[in-house]
Amino acid sequence: MTSEELQQLIESNAKAIEALATQQTERQRNTDRQIAELTRTVGTFVRETSDVVSNLMNDRATMYELISQNSEAQASINESLSQIAEAVSRIADRDEN
């Protein structure tokens, strides 16, 4: 192998190494961009999921409050019905006498 051929081989290898380094740099940039995008996507998902869970917990609390109010209203209605039944019974007893 002549020195000129050796020089060409060295230059060819240097260009190939430079091309590989450029490809590797580009791959790393793409990977970094994809990781950044994935990080943003996961962050958005976590925030949105947190908001949904928070809304569900608020809705659950509201539901239990409404159930409690309904139970109190039902107890009040039952008490009123009991008083009406007693009044009707007294009227009926009075009418019999």
Side-chain angles (χ1 to χ4, degrees), residues 10-66:
I10 291 170
E11 288 175 8
S12 174
N13 285 343
K15 287 178 184 177
I17 291 170
E18 186 177 330
L20 287 173
T22 300
Q23 287 176 352
Q24 180 60 31
T25 300
E26 186 58 31
R27 284 185 190 132
Q28 187 62 48
R29 281 190 203 122
N30 286 337
T31 299
D32 291 346
R33 278 193 293 270
Q34 290 171 347
I35 289 172
E37 180 62 30
L38 180 59
T39 300
R40 284 190 296 275
T41 300
V42 169
T44 299
F45 173 77
V46 168
R47 276 191 307 281
E48 289 174 355
T49 301
S50 176
D51 291 345
V52 167
V53 170
S54 178
N55 289 340
L56 285 173
M57 294 302 290
N58 288 338
D59 290 349
R60 181 178 178 214
T62 300
M63 181 184 69
Y64 282 122
E65 178 64 27
L66 291 172

Side-chain angles (χ1 to χ4, degrees), residues 1-12:
M1 179 176 274
T2 66
S3 77
E4 186 176 316
E5 290 173 332
L6 185 57
Q7 184 63 31
Q8 288 176 349
L9 182 60
I10 291 170
E11 288 175 8
S12 174

